[in-house]
Amino acid sequence: MIRSFLVVLLLMSAANAEEAVDPRVTPELLEAFAAHEFDDDGFTLPYRLMSPKEVDPVEKRPLVVFLHGFGERGDDNQRQLIHGGPSFVTPEFRDRHRAFVLAPQCPAGNKLDSDGNESDEPIVWSLRLRPTNETLAESIDDEPTAPMHAVRALVDHLIEMHPIDTKRLYITGLSMGGYGTWELASREPDLWAAAAPICGGGNPAWAERLKGLPLWCFHGDADGAVPVVRSREMISAISAAGGRPIYTEYPGVNHDSWTQTYKSRYLWDWMFAQSR
C-alpha cells in the first residue's frame, strides 16, 4: 500500500514537472526562474523571474533586466534562458548579489503593417537592428516597439509587487538584446544604475543622453553577425560627449562574446556597485 502511494506521488510529480524545450534549458534554470505572463494593454509578454533565495519584504534588493538575442524569440517562455541564464543561477551570483533577475521573451514572427498584414520586418526589442552601415533615422522619442514597451511597463509592475531597490536597476542584453539595452538605457538614462550591452548597437546620436550613465560594453572583434563597429561607434560618441564608458573588445572572438562576459565576476561586482 505504501509502495503504491509512493508510485502515485512520483507519477504526479513527473506530470507536474515542466519539460524543457531545449536541452540547454536545464531543470535548475526552470526551477530558479518562475514562469509568468504580463499583459500590457492587450500585448502578452512571457517572462521569467528569478528571486533571491530568501526574500525579506523589508529589505529591498537589486533588479537585473536581461534581454535575450534574436534566436531565442518565441512564446515557449524558456528559450530566453539559454544564454545568460546559467550564469545567473550559479551559487556565486545568487549568494553574492541576492538580486531579482527578469528575463522576458520577445515574440517571434514579423511585424504587421498598417493594413494588418505581415511585413518583412521581424519583431525585435529595439526600433531597428542595424548590422550594416546605413544611417539610423529613428529618434529616441519615437514610440518603442510593443515588446520594449511591455518590458518597461513590467519593470514598474515588478517594483510594485516585490521589494526592489529602485536605485539599483540594471539592464543588460546580448545581440538583439544588446540593441535593446542601448535603446532602453537611452530612453531613460536616469532610471538605470548601470547598463551592460553585449555585441549590439545603437544610435550614436543618443550619446549625449548616455554620457552620465555607468556603461560597460562588450564585443568580439571578429563578430560576423553584428560588426564590432556598432559598439565602437557608440563608445566613441559617448566618450566624445564627455562620458566615461568602459569597453572590452575580445580579440578573435566571433558573435559569442556573452559567455565569457557573463561568467566574469568582475562584471557583476562592477554592476552591483553602481547606484543612482
Side-chain angles (χ1 to χ4, degrees):
M1 183 68 180
I2 294 176
R3 183 177 180 182
S4 299
F5 180 68
L6 290 175
V7 169
V8 171
L9 284 179
L10 287 172
L11 290 174
M12 290 177 62
S13 176
N16 292 330
E18 185 178 3
E19 294 186 5
V21 300
D22 186 287
R24 292 169 292 181
V25 181
T26 65
E28 182 185 18
L29 283 171
L30 296 178
E31 182 179 357
F33 282 88
H36 304 275
E37 286 187 346
F38 178 69
D39 179 75
D40 182 33
D41 196 23
F43 178 86
T44 301
L45 181 74
Y47 72 95
R48 292 268 175 171
L49 181 68
M50 186 182 79
S51 301
K53 291 180 180 179
E54 296 181 2
V55 178
D56 184 337
V58 177
E59 181 188 20
K60 295 184 180 296
R61 301 305 305 163
L63 170 68
V64 178
V65 179
F66 166 69
L67 301 180
H68 65 77
F70 190 85
E72 293 75 63
R73 299 183 310 152
D75 59 6
D76 56 74
N77 204 7
Q78 290 189 11
R79 292 183 59 81
Q80 71 266 39
L81 300 178
I82 291 175
H83 305 299
S87 297
F88 295 122
V89 298
T90 61
E92 181 179 37
F93 182 93
R94 300 197 73 180
D95 296 340
R96 187 176 180 83
H97 302 297
R98 299 173 49 233
F100 291 91
V101 179
L102 167 63
Q105 186 178 34
C106 182
N110 291 350
K111 301 175 184 177
L112 300 180
D113 60 23
S114 57
D115 297 323
N117 300 314
E118 189 171 290
S119 70
D120 294 330
E121 289 190 68
I123 300 172
V124 293
W125 295 123
S126 53
L127 290 170
R128 179 158 54 125
L129 298 184
R130 185 168 69 113
T132 56
N133 289 320
E134 76 271 15
T135 301
L136 273 179
E138 290 89 348
S139 165
I140 198 63
D141 296 320
D142 289 347
E143 282 294 314
T145 64
M148 178 168 286
H149 187 279
V151 169
R152 181 60 187 87
L154 176 55
V155 169
D156 284 342
H157 173 71
L158 294 178
I159 290 171
E160 291 180 1
M161 300 298 295
H162 300 279
I164 290 172
D165 185 351
T166 56
K167 293 185 177 180
R168 300 178 71 198
L169 304 178
Y170 308 109
I171 177 75
T172 185
L174 58 92
S175 193
M176 179 185 81
Y179 279 88
T181 298
W182 280 115
E183 186 176 319
L184 266 177
S186 299
R187 285 183 177 278
E188 295 180 275
D190 293 333
L191 173 71
W192 308 101
I198 303 173
C199 58
N203 190 333
W206 304 339
E208 187 68 25
R209 303 173 65 94
L210 292 166
K211 67 180 182 181
L213 177 65
L215 279 160
W216 193 347
C217 175
F218 302 82
H219 217 125
D221 71 356
D223 195 324
V226 180
V228 68
V229 67
R230 297 283 78 84
S231 287
R232 290 176 180 172
E233 65 186 2
M234 291 301 294
I235 296 301
S236 177
I238 296 168
S239 298
R244 301 180 64 183
I246 307 171
Y247 179 49
T248 297
E249 189 171 295
Y250 299 117
V253 171
N254 203 312
H255 195 44
D256 181 7
S257 50
W258 55 81
T259 298
Q260 59 185 309
T261 297
Y262 284 144
K263 283 183 177 179
S264 171
R265 173 175 165 178
Y266 296 110
L267 167 62
W268 303 119
D269 283 354
W270 168 84
M271 178 175 281
F272 287 105
Q274 312 305 315
S275 180
R276 288 178 46 246

